[in-house]
Amino acid sequence: MSLNPTSQPLSGRVAVVTGASSGIGEASAERLALLGARVVVLARRADRLADLVARIEKNGGSALAVAADVTDAAALRGAADRVRAEFGGADLLLNNAGVMLPAPIEELATDQWKHQIDLNITGLMNAIGAFTRQLVESAAERGVADLINTSSIAARNIFPNFAVYSGTKAYVTHLSRHLRAELGAKNVRVSAIEPGIVGTELQSHVTDRGAQDWLAGSKESMEWLTARDIAETVGFIAALPPRVNLQQVTIMPTGQAA
Ligand code: NDP
C-alpha cells in the first residue's frame, strides 16, 4: 500500500537512526519512514536491521540497513560515505544507541563504566563526527536539518547507583545545548530527548540485583512508556516548521515521580 503524500511531512528527508535494531531507535525509524523520510538504520545486529528494513518497505517506505558499531569511528565514517553515495547525505541524525548499567560505585564495575562511557559518549560523538558535515550541507540546501540526541531524565535527576549512566546522559544534554547554540545559526536544529522509563531491551542488560529489583518494583507500580511514545515525539520534532526548535523534551510515564 503506498502512503498518502499529504500525511508525509518528512518526504524528501534522509534520517539516520543509531541504535535502530530495538527499542526507541527501531520504533523511531518506523515512525520517520511512515512520515515520509528515507531512513538509514544503524546498529550491530544485521539480522534485526534486515527485518526492520523489510517491514518499512512493506509499509511503502524506503530504508537502508548499515550494520556498524558506533564505538568504531572509522566504521561510522564509512557509514556516512555510504549514506552520501546512496541517499545524497543525511538531514536528520537520531543519535540514540546507548546502554544503562547501574551498580554501586564501590563495586568498581570498571568494565561497565567503560562500556557506558564508550557507547553513550564516544559512540555519540563518533556519529556526530561522521554526520555533522552532511547535516550542515543539507540545512544549507534545504533550509533545515535535525540532530536529535537521546538523553535521559538521569541527566538531571539523582538516582543512587546510576551515577556513571547519569553522568553520560548529563554529557549528552549539556553537549546538546552547546551544539544548539553553535549549529542553530546554520539551520541545524539540535534537540535532546530526556525520557523517563521506557520498556525496551535496555532493562534486560542490567546485571545489578538491586537495580533489577528496583526496576521490577517500578514496573508493577506504574505503566512504563513504550518505544512508540518516544518515536511519536521524534517525528513531531522533525516535522516542526524550520523556525521551531524543541531544545529539550522531557517525557515521563504519568505515574513516574522522578
Ligand atoms: P535498547 O537496548 O532497546 O536499544 C539500544 C540500541 O543501541 C540497540 O539497537 C543496540 O543495537 C544499539 N547499540 C548498542 N551498542 C551499540 C554499538 N556499540 N553500536 C551500535 N549500536 C549499538 O534500549 P532503548 O531503546 O531503551 O535505548 C535507546 C536510548 O534511549 C539509549 O541511549 C538509552 O540510554 C536511552 N533511554 C532509554 C530509556 C529507557 O527507559 N528505555 C530512558 C531514557 C533514555 P545492537 O545491539 O544491535 O548494536
Side-chain angles (χ1 to χ4, degrees):
M1 183 187 73
S2 73
L3 296 160
N4 174 0
T6 57
S7 66
Q8 297 198 297
L10 302 185
S11 174
R13 298 197 56 180
V14 176
V16 174
V17 178
T18 74
S21 61
S22 64
I24 293 169
E26 180 180 24
S28 297
E30 288 195 273
R31 181 69 188 151
L32 293 168
L34 199 69
L35 294 175
R38 285 181 292 171
V39 180
V40 179
V41 293
L42 193 148
R44 293 167 305 174
R45 286 172 292 177
D47 53 338
R48 297 279 291 255
L49 296 178
D51 290 348
L52 174 60
V53 167
R55 230 168 33 244
I56 287 172
E57 288 175 344
K58 189 163 164 251
N59 287 327
S62 169
L64 171 71
V66 177
D69 184 330
V70 296
T71 65
D72 179 347
L76 277 227
R77 285 194 297 273
D81 288 345
R82 213 172 141 201
V83 173
R84 188 186 287 286
E86 300 203 22
F87 283 168
D91 63 32
L92 190 160
L93 171 62
L94 175 60
N95 212 356
N96 169 76
V99 68
M100 178 186 81
L101 302 168
I105 206 74
E106 287 174 286
E107 285 182 9
L108 304 181
T110 51
D111 287 350
Q112 295 196 340
W113 299 355
K114 182 167 165 30
H115 186 178
Q116 292 174 97
I117 293 165
D118 286 352
L119 180 54
N120 301 359
I121 296 181
T122 307
L124 179 106
M125 291 314 300
N126 286 341
I128 288 172
F131 288 103
T132 295
R133 184 167 298 164
Q134 292 184 14
L135 296 179
V136 170
E137 286 171 6
S138 300
E141 276 169 33
R142 302 172 212 171
V144 74
D146 286 286
L147 168 59
I148 304 174
N149 295 318
T150 308
S151 183
S152 164
I153 56 161
R156 299 167 188 287
N157 301 352
I158 305 302
F159 300 102
N161 304 336
F162 283 71
V164 176
Y165 177 72
S166 300
T168 66
K169 291 303 183 178
Y171 177 94
V172 176
T173 284
H174 204 54
L175 176 91
S176 302
R177 290 167 69 92
H178 280 268
L179 291 182
R180 201 192 80 79
E182 191 174 334
L183 296 175
K186 298 187 171 178
N187 292 333
V188 179
R189 304 183 291 198
V190 181
S191 306
I193 299 187
E194 298 180 342
I197 303 189
V198 188
T200 66
E201 292 181 13
L202 193 83
Q203 295 84 22
S204 69
H205 301 298
V206 174
T207 54
D208 179 69
R209 189 60 202 272
Q212 285 174 340
D213 291 346
W214 180 80
L215 286 165
S218 147
K219 196 167 190 178
E220 294 225 328
S221 68
M222 72 175 99
E223 186 177 356
W224 287 357
L225 296 173
T226 67
R228 192 173 290 193
D229 297 327
I230 311 303
E232 302 257 346
T233 305
V234 170
F236 178 77
I237 290 172
L240 286 165
R243 67 179 179 280
V244 184
N245 177 196
L246 272 194
Q247 169 175 308
Q248 207 162 274
V249 181
T250 304
I251 171 167
M252 300 287 285
T254 305
Q256 185 177 6

